[in-house]
Amino acid sequence: MIDRNEVAIKRVEFDATHSWNGYCYQGKIALIVVIDYIINCIKGTEDISQYKIEFEYLEDFSIIKDTNYLQIHQVKSYGPESLSSYKDAVWLLLGKSVYEDYETVEKSYLHTADIISSASGIIDNPESLKTVLTSYSKPSSSKSTTQKSPLELFEYIEERDLLDKAFKKFSLYRYADGNVFCSLLEVENKVKEKIVEYYKFIDKEQDLRERGILTKYVECAFVNLLGTIDKHVNERHYNRQNDVEYFNKEINFSEIVKVLNEEYEKLPVEYYVFYLKDKVMGNFNRYYSQQKQFIQETYEIQADDQESIIECRRLESGLNKVLDLIKYTYTEFKDDEFLLFCHKINPHVRVDFTGDFISISELVNSNFLHYPWFQSLVDFHENIKSEDFLININNHHFLPSTIVHPFPDLTSLPSTFYKQQMNARIEATISDIAVNILENKEIYKELYKIDNIITGNINKPLKDYVHKTTSFKEYKNEDAHHHIMDIKNINLIDINECRIRGEKNHGKC
């Protein structure tokens, strides 16, 4: 039995800020819940400033009024799973909702990314979940001295006969489409739909639609809301690391409303940073998941193939190394550092941050992030020089990039004429890429630090194209001298060529 006095030492809260990704699934789920809650509060003419959302303390996130917990939310992003996979999470929710220190909790919610199954069928309501859950064995124990385990809270409920009371508070969260789950692919759209619903409620949606800027406003509000969460969580993480006695655990609803009510005619640089972070992280999450699925399938199908198992382990190591590096960029990089990082991996893309939203999106092209950039980092992760994303091999510095031309392999074309035609198009594209790199003022200094740029399918020295640059013409006319003329000979090298060199150099490119 748990002694009341233990609460001072052993609590039911937890603080896992270090593991929170402000752009991940649970952050977006929290936005759906909070915006919906805000709309209902305004309908009831309640003072929004009384309400706050708390992340990663009592639960994944919680709704608080003044100092009282009203709702607690547990978020799981599993694929299709049986209820047994959620058993511990449900008992934690149930126990916390009736725990003596949190009797103000009115509702506890479980959010899932897919359907919950059981031997008795699909579970889509609290009643069926209760029936199956109570037929299982007891939940897990824990050796933690600071957090109550599922088993401890199970016993707390059992000893006090609180099961029915706990289940009266419990629900599977039901979304606007009627489902009790929200997939990872759908969650972003559901947040944006909720933002549109808010604009309709405050009579702003029709005006924005007629002016043709509704989509822009929704996108901007979405990204800024994610940025608000990210900033909050990173500040908490910093304060915890530096032993700050008090660190803010909540975001007031008025801050969320301020972001929703913002005018987005002209966007601040901070917006673009949030936008780019969201896209980089979102794309890597998808790439990571796809590769993990491939690894799992390979383990199952080729369990006896030692060579495949070794390659899978190396791939896993690379994925985890790159994940850590990308996490570092959004938690540690200042805005100007993150923008430079985006310019570096896209040296051929020149962007105007004064409002050219379309060109900015080119810095996070999903196809080119996945290949060749993510692929290069994973393939050569053992040689990555941490934080600057350069690959250091035999004292030569390789910059992994998103550069790739979109044309097919010439050997697949049916005739000599088509091959010549396609070769001319490829050469023209490579020329444009090279000139854009050489004239990209954002990365002049960075070009001095590298010897090669890894691409998807291009093998050319940049010096072959210097004569086509504006800087070269100015240099020749002696009207201006530009330091680009002094940059060392940088080669564009495709990832496959890099792999071949690696094989010749015992695994090193």
Side-chain angles (χ1 to χ4, degrees), residues 3-13 58 67-70 72 95-105 148 153 156 160 162 165 169:
D3 191 316
R4 288 175 63 96
N5 294 328
E6 288 184 28
V7 176
I9 303 172
K10 197 168 189 177
R11 42 174 232 278
V12 296
E13 306 96 334
L58 181 59
T67 59
N68 297 320
Y69 286 91
L70 299 184
I72 55 176
K96 292 172 184 179
S97 72
V98 294
Y99 198 80
E100 57 193 345
D101 283 4
Y102 302 103
E103 292 180 348
T104 59
V105 172
K148 291 194 181 301
L153 291 173
Y156 181 89
R160 292 163 177 77
L162 295 173
K165 181 179 179 180
K169 297 183 178 186

PDB file of all heavy atoms in Angstrom, residues 3-13 58 67-70 72 95-105 148 153 156 160 162 165 169:
ATOM      1  N   ASP A   3       1.915   4.874   1.015  1.00  0.00           N
ATOM      2  CA  ASP A   3       1.745   5.823   2.127  1.00  0.00           C
ATOM      3  C   ASP A   3       1.580   7.230   1.559  1.00  0.00           C
ATOM      4  O   ASP A   3       2.279   7.635   0.641  1.00  0.00           O
ATOM      5  CB  ASP A   3       2.996   5.766   3.021  1.00  0.00           C
ATOM      6  CG  ASP A   3       2.783   6.519   4.334  1.00  0.00           C
ATOM      7  OD1 ASP A   3       2.229   7.633   4.272  1.00  0.00           O
ATOM      8  OD2 ASP A   3       3.192   5.981   5.369  1.00  0.00           O
ATOM      9  N   ARG A   4       0.643   7.992   2.157  1.00  0.00           N
ATOM     10  CA  ARG A   4       0.431   9.376   1.706  1.00  0.00           C
ATOM     11  C   ARG A   4       1.717  10.190   1.786  1.00  0.00           C
ATOM     12  O   ARG A   4       1.970  11.077   0.975  1.00  0.00           O
ATOM     13  CB  ARG A   4      -0.648  10.056   2.563  1.00  0.00           C
ATOM     14  CG  ARG A   4      -2.050   9.568   2.300  1.00  0.00           C
ATOM     15  CD  ARG A   4      -3.018  10.224   3.283  1.00  0.00           C
ATOM     16  NE  ARG A   4      -3.046  11.665   3.104  1.00  0.00           N
ATOM     17  CZ  ARG A   4      -3.944  12.313   2.379  1.00  0.00           C
ATOM     18  NH1 ARG A   4      -4.870  11.638   1.740  1.00  0.00           N
ATOM     19  NH2 ARG A   4      -3.921  13.629   2.295  1.00  0.00           N
ATOM     20  N   ASN A   5       2.541   9.897   2.785  1.00  0.00           N
ATOM     21  CA  ASN A   5       3.769  10.678   2.975  1.00  0.00           C
ATOM     22  C   ASN A   5       4.768  10.472   1.846  1.00  0.00           C
ATOM     23  O   ASN A   5       5.707  11.239   1.694  1.00  0.00           O
ATOM     24  CB  ASN A   5       4.425  10.308   4.310  1.00  0.00           C
ATOM     25  CG  ASN A   5       3.557  10.724   5.483  1.00  0.00           C
ATOM     26  OD1 ASN A   5       2.846  11.717   5.409  1.00  0.00           O
ATOM     27  ND2 ASN A   5       3.608   9.953   6.559  1.00  0.00           N
ATOM     28  N   GLU A   6       4.590   9.378   1.089  1.00  0.00           N
ATOM     29  CA  GLU A   6       5.526   9.105   0.000  1.00  0.00           C
ATOM     30  C   GLU A   6       5.384  10.111  -1.139  1.00  0.00           C
ATOM     31  O   GLU A   6       6.287  10.262  -1.955  1.00  0.00           O
ATOM     32  CB  GLU A   6       5.306   7.705  -0.577  1.00  0.00           C
ATOM     33  CG  GLU A   6       5.765   6.592   0.337  1.00  0.00           C
ATOM     34  CD  GLU A   6       5.605   5.248  -0.345  1.00  0.00           C
ATOM     35  OE1 GLU A   6       5.666   5.207  -1.587  1.00  0.00           O
ATOM     36  OE2 GLU A   6       5.427   4.254   0.354  1.00  0.00           O
ATOM     37  N   VAL A   7       4.241  10.785  -1.186  1.00  0.00           N
ATOM     38  CA  VAL A   7       4.000  11.695  -2.301  1.00  0.00           C
ATOM     39  C   VAL A   7       5.059  12.782  -2.367  1.00  0.00           C
ATOM     40  O   VAL A   7       5.430  13.263  -3.439  1.00  0.00           O
ATOM     41  CB  VAL A   7       2.587  12.323  -2.200  1.00  0.00           C
ATOM     42  CG1 VAL A   7       2.371  13.332  -3.307  1.00  0.00           C
ATOM     43  CG2 VAL A   7       1.544  11.228  -2.267  1.00  0.00           C
ATOM     44  N   ALA A   8       5.573  13.193  -1.231  1.00  0.00           N
ATOM     45  CA  ALA A   8       6.609  14.227  -1.197  1.00  0.00           C
ATOM     46  C   ALA A   8       7.894  13.750  -1.850  1.00  0.00           C
ATOM     47  O   ALA A   8       8.696  14.535  -2.326  1.00  0.00           O
ATOM     48  CB  ALA A   8       6.883  14.652   0.246  1.00  0.00           C
ATOM     49  N   ILE A   9       8.085  12.439  -1.839  1.00  0.00           N
ATOM     50  CA  ILE A   9       9.319  11.876  -2.375  1.00  0.00           C
ATOM     51  C   ILE A   9       9.079  11.246  -3.739  1.00  0.00           C
ATOM     52  O   ILE A   9       9.824  11.442  -4.680  1.00  0.00           O
ATOM     53  CB  ILE A   9       9.880  10.802  -1.416  1.00  0.00           C
ATOM     54  CG1 ILE A   9      10.097  11.412  -0.041  1.00  0.00           C
ATOM     55  CG2 ILE A   9      11.151  10.199  -1.964  1.00  0.00           C
ATOM     56  CD1 ILE A   9      10.465  10.392   1.013  1.00  0.00           C
ATOM     57  N   LYS A  10       7.992  10.503  -3.805  1.00  0.00           N
ATOM     58  CA  LYS A  10       7.697   9.745  -5.016  1.00  0.00           C
ATOM     59  C   LYS A  10       6.418  10.283  -5.634  1.00  0.00           C
ATOM     60  O   LYS A  10       5.344  10.140  -5.075  1.00  0.00           O
ATOM     61  CB  LYS A  10       7.533   8.263  -4.670  1.00  0.00           C
ATOM     62  CG  LYS A  10       7.632   7.340  -5.858  1.00  0.00           C
ATOM     63  CD  LYS A  10       7.761   5.903  -5.383  1.00  0.00           C
ATOM     64  CE  LYS A  10       8.091   4.988  -6.543  1.00  0.00           C
ATOM     65  NZ  LYS A  10       8.281   3.610  -6.118  1.00  0.00           N
ATOM     66  N   ARG A  11       6.523  10.913  -6.785  1.00  0.00           N
ATOM     67  CA  ARG A  11       5.375  11.618  -7.302  1.00  0.00           C
ATOM     68  C   ARG A  11       4.777  10.915  -8.510  1.00  0.00           C
ATOM     69  O   ARG A  11       5.361   9.998  -9.075  1.00  0.00           O
ATOM     70  CB  ARG A  11       5.755  13.048  -7.700  1.00  0.00           C
ATOM     71  CG  ARG A  11       7.082  13.191  -8.415  1.00  0.00           C
ATOM     72  CD  ARG A  11       7.314  14.592  -8.884  1.00  0.00           C
ATOM     73  NE  ARG A  11       7.655  14.609 -10.289  1.00  0.00           N
ATOM     74  CZ  ARG A  11       8.878  14.379 -10.747  1.00  0.00           C
ATOM     75  NH1 ARG A  11       9.855  14.129  -9.925  1.00  0.00           N
ATOM     76  NH2 ARG A  11       9.120  14.389 -12.040  1.00  0.00           N
ATOM     77  N   VAL A  12       3.591  11.371  -8.906  1.00  0.00           N
ATOM     78  CA  VAL A  12       2.961  10.777 -10.083  1.00  0.00           C
ATOM     79  C   VAL A  12       3.235  11.596 -11.336  1.00  0.00           C
ATOM     80  O   VAL A  12       2.874  11.208 -12.431  1.00  0.00           O
ATOM     81  CB  VAL A  12       1.429  10.632  -9.908  1.00  0.00           C
ATOM     82  CG1 VAL A  12       1.136   9.674  -8.780  1.00  0.00           C
ATOM     83  CG2 VAL A  12       0.764  11.968  -9.658  1.00  0.00           C
ATOM     84  N   GLU A  13       3.866  12.757 -11.165  1.00  0.00           N
ATOM     85  CA  GLU A  13       4.236  13.533 -12.335  1.00  0.00           C
ATOM     86  C   GLU A  13       5.543  12.986 -12.917  1.00  0.00           C
ATOM     87  O   GLU A  13       6.228  12.207 -12.283  1.00  0.00           O
ATOM     88  CB  GLU A  13       4.456  15.020 -11.988  1.00  0.00           C
ATOM     89  CG  GLU A  13       3.300  15.702 -11.284  1.00  0.00           C
ATOM     90  CD  GLU A  13       3.482  15.725  -9.795  1.00  0.00           C
ATOM     91  OE1 GLU A  13       4.181  14.837  -9.264  1.00  0.00           O
ATOM     92  OE2 GLU A  13       2.926  16.618  -9.142  1.00  0.00           O
ATOM     93  N   LEU A  58       2.567  16.275 -15.476  1.00  0.00           N
ATOM     94  CA  LEU A  58       1.656  15.264 -14.950  1.00  0.00           C
ATOM     95  C   LEU A  58       1.353  14.227 -16.020  1.00  0.00           C
ATOM     96  O   LEU A  58       1.261  13.038 -15.740  1.00  0.00           O
ATOM     97  CB  LEU A  58       0.349  15.922 -14.473  1.00  0.00           C
ATOM     98  CG  LEU A  58      -0.688  14.966 -13.872  1.00  0.00           C
ATOM     99  CD1 LEU A  58      -0.115  14.230 -12.676  1.00  0.00           C
ATOM    100  CD2 LEU A  58      -1.959  15.728 -13.483  1.00  0.00           C
ATOM    101  N   THR A  67      -4.869  26.987 -10.917  1.00  0.00           N
ATOM    102  CA  THR A  67      -3.864  26.011 -10.461  1.00  0.00           C
ATOM    103  C   THR A  67      -4.416  24.593 -10.427  1.00  0.00           C
ATOM    104  O   THR A  67      -3.763  23.684  -9.921  1.00  0.00           O
ATOM    105  CB  THR A  67      -3.356  26.386  -9.054  1.00  0.00           C
ATOM    106  OG1 THR A  67      -4.464  26.408  -8.147  1.00  0.00           O
ATOM    107  CG2 THR A  67      -2.670  27.745  -9.075  1.00  0.00           C
ATOM    108  N   ASN A  68      -5.609  24.404 -10.968  1.00  0.00           N
ATOM    109  CA  ASN A  68      -6.264  23.096 -10.896  1.00  0.00           C
ATOM    110  C   ASN A  68      -6.213  22.351 -12.230  1.00  0.00           C
ATOM    111  O   ASN A  68      -6.525  22.922 -13.282  1.00  0.00           O
ATOM    112  CB  ASN A  68      -7.730  23.263 -10.477  1.00  0.00           C
ATOM    113  CG  ASN A  68      -7.866  23.851  -9.094  1.00  0.00           C
ATOM    114  OD1 ASN A  68      -7.129  23.510  -8.182  1.00  0.00           O
ATOM    115  ND2 ASN A  68      -8.830  24.756  -8.929  1.00  0.00           N
ATOM    116  N   TYR A  69      -5.833  21.086 -12.171  1.00  0.00           N
ATOM    117  CA  TYR A  69      -5.845  20.246 -13.364  1.00  0.00           C
ATOM    118  C   TYR A  69      -7.283  19.890 -13.725  1.00  0.00           C
ATOM    119  O   TYR A  69      -8.042  19.410 -12.880  1.00  0.00           O
ATOM    120  CB  TYR A  69      -5.056  18.960 -13.129  1.00  0.00           C
ATOM    121  CG  TYR A  69      -3.562  19.151 -13.122  1.00  0.00           C
ATOM    122  CD1 TYR A  69      -2.884  19.408 -11.933  1.00  0.00           C
ATOM    123  CD2 TYR A  69      -2.833  19.082 -14.302  1.00  0.00           C
ATOM    124  CE1 TYR A  69      -1.509  19.589 -11.916  1.00  0.00           C
ATOM    125  CE2 TYR A  69      -1.449  19.264 -14.302  1.00  0.00           C
ATOM    126  CZ  TYR A  69      -0.796  19.517 -13.106  1.00  0.00           C
ATOM    127  OH  TYR A  69       0.563  19.700 -13.096  1.00  0.00           O
ATOM    128  N   LEU A  70      -7.662  20.124 -15.007  1.00  0.00           N
ATOM    129  CA  LEU A  70      -8.992  19.758 -15.481  1.00  0.00           C
ATOM    130  C   LEU A  70      -8.964  18.539 -16.392  1.00  0.00           C
ATOM    131  O   LEU A  70      -9.852  17.702 -16.336  1.00  0.00           O
ATOM    132  CB  LEU A  70      -9.622  20.934 -16.231  1.00  0.00           C
ATOM    133  CG  LEU A  70      -9.832  22.235 -15.452  1.00  0.00           C
ATOM    134  CD1 LEU A  70     -10.555  23.241 -16.328  1.00  0.00           C
ATOM    135  CD2 LEU A  70     -10.605  21.995 -14.164  1.00  0.00           C
ATOM    136  N   ILE A  72      -6.208  15.566 -18.378  1.00  0.00           N
ATOM    137  CA  ILE A  72      -4.879  15.008 -18.619  1.00  0.00           C
ATOM    138  C   ILE A  72      -4.945  14.155 -19.885  1.00  0.00           C
ATOM    139  O   ILE A  72      -5.928  13.455 -20.124  1.00  0.00           O
ATOM    140  CB  ILE A  72      -4.343  14.196 -17.418  1.00  0.00           C
ATOM    141  CG1 ILE A  72      -5.319  13.092 -17.002  1.00  0.00           C
ATOM    142  CG2 ILE A  72      -4.041  15.118 -16.248  1.00  0.00           C
ATOM    143  CD1 ILE A  72      -4.801  12.208 -15.877  1.00  0.00           C
ATOM    144  N   GLY A  95      -5.118   6.068 -12.879  1.00  0.00           N
ATOM    145  CA  GLY A  95      -4.632   6.320 -11.527  1.00  0.00           C
ATOM    146  C   GLY A  95      -4.459   7.793 -11.223  1.00  0.00           C
ATOM    147  O   GLY A  95      -4.846   8.282 -10.153  1.00  0.00           O
ATOM    148  N   LYS A  96      -3.898   8.524 -12.186  1.00  0.00           N
ATOM    149  CA  LYS A  96      -3.672   9.947 -11.966  1.00  0.00           C
ATOM    150  C   LYS A  96      -4.991  10.721 -11.874  1.00  0.00           C
ATOM    151  O   LYS A  96      -5.095  11.709 -11.140  1.00  0.00           O
ATOM    152  CB  LYS A  96      -2.802  10.519 -13.089  1.00  0.00           C
ATOM    153  CG  LYS A  96      -1.376   9.994 -13.081  1.00  0.00           C
ATOM    154  CD  LYS A  96      -0.611  10.437 -14.319  1.00  0.00           C
ATOM    155  CE  LYS A  96       0.783   9.820 -14.363  1.00  0.00           C
ATOM    156  NZ  LYS A  96       1.538  10.208 -15.558  1.00  0.00           N
ATOM    157  N   SER A  97      -5.995  10.270 -12.621  1.00  0.00           N
ATOM    158  CA  SER A  97      -7.270  10.997 -12.642  1.00  0.00           C
ATOM    159  C   SER A  97      -8.015  10.937 -11.310  1.00  0.00           C
ATOM    160  O   SER A  97      -8.860  11.796 -11.037  1.00  0.00           O
ATOM    161  CB  SER A  97      -8.173  10.453 -13.756  1.00  0.00           C
ATOM    162  OG  SER A  97      -8.670   9.169 -13.427  1.00  0.00           O
ATOM    163  N   VAL A  98      -7.702   9.941 -10.485  1.00  0.00           N
ATOM    164  CA  VAL A  98      -8.393   9.821  -9.183  1.00  0.00           C
ATOM    165  C   VAL A  98      -7.428   9.934  -8.011  1.00  0.00           C
ATOM    166  O   VAL A  98      -7.818   9.733  -6.859  1.00  0.00           O
ATOM    167  CB  VAL A  98      -9.171   8.480  -9.088  1.00  0.00           C
ATOM    168  CG1 VAL A  98     -10.304   8.455 -10.090  1.00  0.00           C
ATOM    169  CG2 VAL A  98      -8.234   7.285  -9.297  1.00  0.00           C
ATOM    170  N   TYR A  99      -6.178  10.253  -8.311  1.00  0.00           N
ATOM    171  CA  TYR A  99      -5.192  10.357  -7.232  1.00  0.00           C
ATOM    172  C   TYR A  99      -5.548  11.534  -6.328  1.00  0.00           C
ATOM    173  O   TYR A  99      -6.009  12.577  -6.783  1.00  0.00           O
ATOM    174  CB  TYR A  99      -3.790  10.545  -7.829  1.00  0.00           C
ATOM    175  CG  TYR A  99      -2.690  10.240  -6.847  1.00  0.00           C
ATOM    176  CD1 TYR A  99      -2.325   8.919  -6.596  1.00  0.00           C
ATOM    177  CD2 TYR A  99      -2.035  11.257  -6.164  1.00  0.00           C
ATOM    178  CE1 TYR A  99      -1.324   8.628  -5.691  1.00  0.00           C
ATOM    179  CE2 TYR A  99      -1.034  10.975  -5.258  1.00  0.00           C
ATOM    180  CZ  TYR A  99      -0.680   9.650  -5.020  1.00  0.00           C
ATOM    181  OH  TYR A  99       0.304   9.355  -4.111  1.00  0.00           O
ATOM    182  N   GLU A 100      -5.333  11.378  -5.047  1.00  0.00           N
ATOM    183  CA  GLU A 100      -5.822  12.346  -4.060  1.00  0.00           C
ATOM    184  C   GLU A 100      -5.325  13.768  -4.297  1.00  0.00           C
ATOM    185  O   GLU A 100      -6.014  14.738  -3.970  1.00  0.00           O
ATOM    186  CB  GLU A 100      -5.438  11.895  -2.653  1.00  0.00           C
ATOM    187  CG  GLU A 100      -3.946  11.684  -2.452  1.00  0.00           C
ATOM    188  CD  GLU A 100      -3.645  10.946  -1.159  1.00  0.00           C
ATOM    189  OE1 GLU A 100      -4.550  10.863  -0.317  1.00  0.00           O
ATOM    190  OE2 GLU A 100      -2.525  10.445  -1.009  1.00  0.00           O
ATOM    191  N   ASP A 101      -4.126  13.931  -4.852  1.00  0.00           N
ATOM    192  CA  ASP A 101      -3.600  15.274  -5.092  1.00  0.00           C
ATOM    193  C   ASP A 101      -4.173  15.915  -6.359  1.00  0.00           C
ATOM    194  O   ASP A 101      -3.931  17.094  -6.615  1.00  0.00           O
ATOM    195  CB  ASP A 101      -2.077  15.235  -5.202  1.00  0.00           C
ATOM    196  CG  ASP A 101      -1.412  15.112  -3.840  1.00  0.00           C
ATOM    197  OD1 ASP A 101      -2.144  14.991  -2.842  1.00  0.00           O
ATOM    198  OD2 ASP A 101      -0.178  15.130  -3.780  1.00  0.00           O
ATOM    199  N   TYR A 102      -4.895  15.128  -7.152  1.00  0.00           N
ATOM    200  CA  TYR A 102      -5.388  15.629  -8.444  1.00  0.00           C
ATOM    201  C   TYR A 102      -6.880  15.347  -8.612  1.00  0.00           C
ATOM    202  O   TYR A 102      -7.339  14.977  -9.693  1.00  0.00           O
ATOM    203  CB  TYR A 102      -4.569  15.020  -9.588  1.00  0.00           C
ATOM    204  CG  TYR A 102      -3.111  15.319  -9.457  1.00  0.00           C
ATOM    205  CD1 TYR A 102      -2.213  14.352  -9.005  1.00  0.00           C
ATOM    206  CD2 TYR A 102      -2.622  16.593  -9.731  1.00  0.00           C
ATOM    207  CE1 TYR A 102      -0.872  14.652  -8.847  1.00  0.00           C
ATOM    208  CE2 TYR A 102      -1.278  16.894  -9.575  1.00  0.00           C
ATOM    209  CZ  TYR A 102      -0.408  15.917  -9.129  1.00  0.00           C
ATOM    210  OH  TYR A 102       0.919  16.216  -8.969  1.00  0.00           O
ATOM    211  N   GLU A 103      -7.630  15.545  -7.548  1.00  0.00           N
ATOM    212  CA  GLU A 103      -9.060  15.259  -7.576  1.00  0.00           C
ATOM    213  C   GLU A 103      -9.838  16.238  -8.437  1.00  0.00           C
ATOM    214  O   GLU A 103     -11.008  16.008  -8.751  1.00  0.00           O
ATOM    215  CB  GLU A 103      -9.614  15.253  -6.148  1.00  0.00           C
ATOM    216  CG  GLU A 103      -9.097  14.078  -5.316  1.00  0.00           C
ATOM    217  CD  GLU A 103      -9.653  14.070  -3.901  1.00  0.00           C
ATOM    218  OE1 GLU A 103     -10.246  15.098  -3.508  1.00  0.00           O
ATOM    219  OE2 GLU A 103      -9.492  13.053  -3.215  1.00  0.00           O
ATOM    220  N   THR A 104      -9.199  17.342  -8.848  1.00  0.00           N
ATOM    221  CA  THR A 104      -9.889  18.305  -9.723  1.00  0.00           C
ATOM    222  C   THR A 104      -9.932  17.837 -11.179  1.00  0.00           C
ATOM    223  O   THR A 104     -10.638  18.440 -12.002  1.00  0.00           O
ATOM    224  CB  THR A 104      -9.194  19.678  -9.679  1.00  0.00           C
ATOM    225  OG1 THR A 104      -7.826  19.532 -10.093  1.00  0.00           O
ATOM    226  CG2 THR A 104      -9.256  20.262  -8.272  1.00  0.00           C
ATOM    227  N   VAL A 105      -9.187  16.786 -11.518  1.00  0.00           N
ATOM    228  CA  VAL A 105      -9.190  16.270 -12.892  1.00  0.00           C
ATOM    229  C   VAL A 105     -10.597  15.795 -13.252  1.00  0.00           C
ATOM    230  O   VAL A 105     -11.175  14.944 -12.576  1.00  0.00           O
ATOM    231  CB  VAL A 105      -8.177  15.120 -13.052  1.00  0.00           C
ATOM    232  CG1 VAL A 105      -8.342  14.460 -14.429  1.00  0.00           C
ATOM    233  CG2 VAL A 105      -6.754  15.624 -12.886  1.00  0.00           C
ATOM    234  N   LYS A 148       5.678   7.325  -9.991  1.00  0.00           N
ATOM    235  CA  LYS A 148       4.848   6.180  -9.663  1.00  0.00           C
ATOM    236  C   LYS A 148       4.660   5.303 -10.890  1.00  0.00           C
ATOM    237  O   LYS A 148       4.438   5.800 -11.994  1.00  0.00           O
ATOM    238  CB  LYS A 148       3.505   6.654  -9.108  1.00  0.00           C
ATOM    239  CG  LYS A 148       3.643   7.310  -7.732  1.00  0.00           C
ATOM    240  CD  LYS A 148       2.301   7.462  -7.066  1.00  0.00           C
ATOM    241  CE  LYS A 148       2.467   8.132  -5.698  1.00  0.00           C
ATOM    242  NZ  LYS A 148       3.342   7.385  -4.795  1.00  0.00           N
ATOM    243  N   LEU A 153      -0.148   2.677  -9.312  1.00  0.00           N
ATOM    244  CA  LEU A 153      -1.423   3.363  -9.488  1.00  0.00           C
ATOM    245  C   LEU A 153      -2.570   2.366  -9.652  1.00  0.00           C
ATOM    246  O   LEU A 153      -3.701   2.634  -9.227  1.00  0.00           O
ATOM    247  CB  LEU A 153      -1.341   4.318 -10.683  1.00  0.00           C
ATOM    248  CG  LEU A 153      -0.424   5.522 -10.443  1.00  0.00           C
ATOM    249  CD1 LEU A 153      -0.249   6.346 -11.711  1.00  0.00           C
ATOM    250  CD2 LEU A 153      -0.955   6.401  -9.329  1.00  0.00           C
ATOM    251  N   TYR A 156      -3.323   1.479  -6.191  1.00  0.00           N
ATOM    252  CA  TYR A 156      -3.982   2.611  -5.536  1.00  0.00           C
ATOM    253  C   TYR A 156      -5.484   2.587  -5.837  1.00  0.00           C
ATOM    254  O   TYR A 156      -6.330   2.775  -4.952  1.00  0.00           O
ATOM    255  CB  TYR A 156      -3.366   3.916  -6.044  1.00  0.00           C
ATOM    256  CG  TYR A 156      -3.928   5.168  -5.429  1.00  0.00           C
ATOM    257  CD1 TYR A 156      -3.390   5.696  -4.263  1.00  0.00           C
ATOM    258  CD2 TYR A 156      -4.998   5.837  -6.023  1.00  0.00           C
ATOM    259  CE1 TYR A 156      -3.902   6.853  -3.688  1.00  0.00           C
ATOM    260  CE2 TYR A 156      -5.514   6.992  -5.465  1.00  0.00           C
ATOM    261  CZ  TYR A 156      -4.964   7.499  -4.298  1.00  0.00           C
ATOM    262  OH  TYR A 156      -5.478   8.640  -3.740  1.00  0.00           O
ATOM    263  N   ARG A 160      -8.692   1.284  -3.083  1.00  0.00           N
ATOM    264  CA  ARG A 160      -9.691   2.290  -2.716  1.00  0.00           C
ATOM    265  C   ARG A 160     -10.997   2.132  -3.491  1.00  0.00           C
ATOM    266  O   ARG A 160     -11.900   2.971  -3.386  1.00  0.00           O
ATOM    267  CB  ARG A 160      -9.108   3.697  -2.941  1.00  0.00           C
ATOM    268  CG  ARG A 160      -7.977   4.028  -1.971  1.00  0.00           C
ATOM    269  CD  ARG A 160      -7.160   5.212  -2.474  1.00  0.00           C
ATOM    270  NE  ARG A 160      -6.108   5.593  -1.516  1.00  0.00           N
ATOM    271  CZ  ARG A 160      -4.964   4.918  -1.354  1.00  0.00           C
ATOM    272  NH1 ARG A 160      -4.728   3.837  -2.087  1.00  0.00           N
ATOM    273  NH2 ARG A 160      -4.070   5.314  -0.455  1.00  0.00           N
ATOM    274  N   LEU A 162     -11.695   2.467  -6.730  1.00  0.00           N
ATOM    275  CA  LEU A 162     -11.898   3.681  -7.517  1.00  0.00           C
ATOM    276  C   LEU A 162     -12.013   3.411  -9.023  1.00  0.00           C
ATOM    277  O   LEU A 162     -12.021   4.351  -9.822  1.00  0.00           O
ATOM    278  CB  LEU A 162     -10.724   4.649  -7.284  1.00  0.00           C
ATOM    279  CG  LEU A 162     -10.577   5.215  -5.879  1.00  0.00           C
ATOM    280  CD1 LEU A 162      -9.276   6.009  -5.756  1.00  0.00           C
ATOM    281  CD2 LEU A 162     -11.763   6.109  -5.545  1.00  0.00           C
ATOM    282  N   LYS A 165     -15.045   5.090 -10.787  1.00  0.00           N
ATOM    283  CA  LYS A 165     -14.858   6.543 -10.779  1.00  0.00           C
ATOM    284  C   LYS A 165     -13.827   6.948 -11.827  1.00  0.00           C
ATOM    285  O   LYS A 165     -14.015   7.935 -12.555  1.00  0.00           O
ATOM    286  CB  LYS A 165     -14.409   7.010  -9.396  1.00  0.00           C
ATOM    287  CG  LYS A 165     -14.211   8.514  -9.290  1.00  0.00           C
ATOM    288  CD  LYS A 165     -13.791   8.931  -7.881  1.00  0.00           C
ATOM    289  CE  LYS A 165     -13.581  10.442  -7.799  1.00  0.00           C
ATOM    290  NZ  LYS A 165     -13.167  10.863  -6.427  1.00  0.00           N
ATOM    291  N   LYS A 169     -14.272   9.160 -15.818  1.00  0.00           N
ATOM    292  CA  LYS A 169     -13.474  10.292 -16.295  1.00  0.00           C
ATOM    293  C   LYS A 169     -12.729   9.971 -17.598  1.00  0.00           C
ATOM    294  O   LYS A 169     -12.285  10.875 -18.306  1.00  0.00           O
ATOM    295  CB  LYS A 169     -12.438  10.697 -15.232  1.00  0.00           C
ATOM    296  CG  LYS A 169     -13.035  11.182 -13.927  1.00  0.00           C
ATOM    297  CD  LYS A 169     -11.931  11.637 -12.975  1.00  0.00           C
ATOM    298  CE  LYS A 169     -12.500  12.182 -11.671  1.00  0.00           C
ATOM    299  NZ  LYS A 169     -11.445  12.757 -10.797  1.00  0.00           N
TER     300      LYS A 169
END
